[in-house]
Amino acid sequence: MNKKQVALFLFLTIFGWVSIYAQDKRVTEGKDFSYLYKNLPIPLEKPMLPKIPDRYVKLTAYGAVCDGITLCTDAFAKAIADLSRRGGGHLIVEDGIWLTGPVMLQSNIDINLSRNAIVKMTPDKSKHKNTTNKTSKIVVPAFYAKNAHDISITGLGAIDGSGAYWRPVKKSKVSSTEWKQYTQMGGIISAKGDIWYPYNLKNAPSLTDSPEEEANARADLIRFEHCERVLFQDITVQNSPRFHVHPCYCKDVSVLGVTVRCPWNAQNGDAIDLSNCNRCLITECTIDAGDDGICLKSGSGKNGVLAGPCKDILVEDNTVIHAHGGFVIGSDASGGVQNVVVRNNRFMGTDTGLRFKTSYGRGGATANIYISNIVMTDIRDQAIVFEASYSNKQVGQEDKHVGATDFAPDFKDIHIEKVTCRGCKTGILAKGDEGLIHDIDIKNSVIFYIKQPTDIQKTCKLDVSNVTFKTFELDMW
């Protein structure tokens, strides 16, 4: 090359890397959320962000092709392994459609998705089968990490879980047109004709011996276990086979500006679930989900207790458009839920607003839960609900209520104020045996209901004060 060609080559190379660096700096450094921790009703420990080395590689450098046809699983694995050997860094996923199987993250790794990047999980179920010792499950989560630290998924791109190939569908929850679309994929219809199972599909052979087993084998879209300093920022996560963003037994988790979306009737389509996690922030997220919106869990029975509580959680400035509950604690709560602040959130069209649910065998103690400045519209059922006999059943199963055990529900020390709800069937509902729901205060709120203001069993001890309940005047019906 002559001098001009060399100069041009160097300019383009440097410009490309500067562009990548600038994009990543915008995402990972971004907005400072420290201000959220001022004027809290209780002190909370703030999560630490991951520290990722300033090293940048492109997925295409490892053989990936963004045509939506070429499988990129090996390219992801090679890129992450290479970055890990070099001490970590940022894996840049550029614009395009990247078809892949499961992606295993390692410490000190950030996956950065460009604005028009879509990571699409392959519908070929055989590519998701567990071939590692990382988990005992049949199927591996799409993005998975265990015992890692300083990891993140950032950027303005999207991850699509191809969930229609995994989720069973209840006929009662879809239109006749939608039902026809599902059945045209193949699959199995239950003997009663009320459930479609994505089992033995035309283009996705099954992994198990029965439709029910296949449904239970579904994995989360993003699941990190026993990890520290975790960040999800600005990404769109959609159409998961099961839960969408699910950190478990993690410390220092930040979920910032994430969008989660799936069909309203997606079975087990939880958006953001924290299980037995400490020091967490969820803020500026937008959720349109098929199950719980933002949910705190802490395991069931002895295992939940051993895993410890969900603790030091701040949930602020989020929007939940559809979900079974806007903010939820449970249903697994044996490890306990402690030191939680939920404020300045809005729920629009959720089934319930603030939902607390568990049952015998899965219950545990809450402490220091402060909820304020919540606005809700068009809530299908209850604005605020406490359920101490919640039954969580799989598709096609009958309700199963567990008898009394040592792991009884214990909803207490919950403080709710400044809730404004325009439209719900029932304002406040509480049901449970004596001693399971107590020392809870709800005050300084306004609830416009359709059916009844409250439905509170005498066994439940709620202090409801300065709450205005209104409904339609008789002459308006």
Side-chain angles (χ1 to χ4, degrees), residues 167 218-222 237-246 260-275 287-297 322-325 328-332 355 357 390 392:
R167 296 188 303 262
R218 290 174 294 148
D220 300 334
L221 190 53
I222 300 175
V237 184
Q238 66 177 29
N239 204 21
S240 175
R242 195 170 173 268
F243 298 170
H244 287 76
V245 180
H246 193 193
V260 180
R261 58 188 301 271
C262 69
W264 73 270
N265 50 18
Q267 196 70 30
N268 307 117
D270 289 30
I272 301 171
D273 285 18
L274 304 179
S275 294
I287 292 167
D288 187 353
D291 209 307
D292 292 330
I294 298 171
C295 185
L296 307 184
K297 303 176 183 292
H322 185 273
H324 285 186
V328 181
I329 292 180
S331 53
D332 295 331
R355 187 182 191 191
K357 56 174 183 173
Y390 176 76
N392 184 20

Side-chain angles (χ1 to χ4, degrees), residues 140-162:
V140 179
F143 282 77
Y144 183 64
K146 187 172 184 178
N147 298 321
H149 61 84
D150 297 286
I151 54 177
S152 59
I153 305 177
T154 62
L156 299 172
I159 300 172
D160 188 302
S162 299

Side-chain angles (χ1 to χ4, degrees), residues 51-65:
K51 295 182 178 180
I52 310 295
D54 289 333
R55 184 176 293 110
Y56 305 86
V57 301
K58 295 182 179 181
L59 186 61
T60 50
Y62 300 86
V65 180

Side-chain angles (χ1 to χ4, degrees), residues 40-278:
L40 292 172
I42 54 173
L44 296 178
E45 291 191 41
K46 186 172 63 174
M48 293 184 290
L49 291 172
K51 295 182 178 180
I52 310 295
D54 289 333
R55 184 176 293 110
Y56 305 86
V57 301
K58 295 182 179 181
L59 186 61
T60 50
Y62 300 86
V65 180
C66 60
D67 58 5
I69 299 172
T70 304
L71 196 65
C72 301
T73 313
D74 288 344
F76 271 107
K78 290 176 181 177
I80 290 171
D82 183 38
L83 277 175
S84 183
R85 282 193 297 268
R86 297 157 64 185
H90 305 266
L91 173 57
I92 308 301
V93 182
E94 298 174 284
D95 291 357
I97 301 176
W98 310 87
L99 188 70
T100 185
V103 176
M104 306 294 178
L105 273 76
Q106 298 184 36
S107 297
N108 304 308
I109 301 290
D110 166 56
I111 295 181
N112 183 265
L113 307 177
S114 298
R115 177 182 292 274
N116 291 325
I118 301 175
V119 178
K120 178 76 169 177
M121 307 313 296
T122 176
D124 184 347
K125 296 183 178 183
S126 67
K127 304 299 183 183
H128 296 265
K129 195 169 183 179
N130 180 24
T131 58
T132 74
N133 294 321
K134 294 283 186 179
T135 174
S136 60
K137 301 294 185 181
I138 296 174
V139 173
V140 179
F143 282 77
Y144 183 64
K146 187 172 184 178
N147 298 321
H149 61 84
D150 297 286
I151 54 177
S152 59
I153 305 177
T154 62
L156 299 172
I159 300 172
D160 188 302
S162 299
Y165 290 87
W166 295 92
R167 296 188 303 262
V169 176
K170 294 179 180 179
K171 190 174 184 178
S172 61
K173 288 189 173 184
V174 296
S175 66
S176 58
T177 300
E178 290 173 307
W179 183 257
K180 183 178 180 180
Q181 290 172 343
Y182 282 113
T183 57
Q184 286 176 344
M185 294 171 62
I188 298 293
I189 298 177
S190 65
K192 294 181 179 179
D194 58 342
I195 300 172
W196 174 82
Y197 290 95
Y199 187 74
N200 291 340
L201 297 171
K202 293 178 181 178
N203 299 309
S206 299
L207 300 175
T208 63
D209 296 328
S210 72
E212 294 80 8
E213 188 179 0
E214 192 88 359
N216 292 333
R218 290 174 294 148
D220 300 334
L221 190 53
I222 300 175
R223 183 182 178 97
F224 291 174
E225 299 181 3
H226 300 285
C227 294
E228 298 184 4
R229 296 182 294 282
V230 173
L231 170 66
F232 306 102
Q233 185 165 8
D234 292 339
I235 58 175
T236 294
V237 184
Q238 66 177 29
N239 204 21
S240 175
R242 195 170 173 268
F243 298 170
H244 287 76
V245 180
H246 193 193
C248 304
Y249 328 115
C250 293
K251 296 179 180 178
D252 298 304
V253 177
S254 299
V255 187
L256 314 178
V258 170
T259 298
V260 180
R261 58 188 301 271
C262 69
W264 73 270
N265 50 18
Q267 196 70 30
N268 307 117
D270 289 30
I272 301 171
D273 285 18
L274 304 179
S275 294
N276 305 86
C277 291
N278 293 176

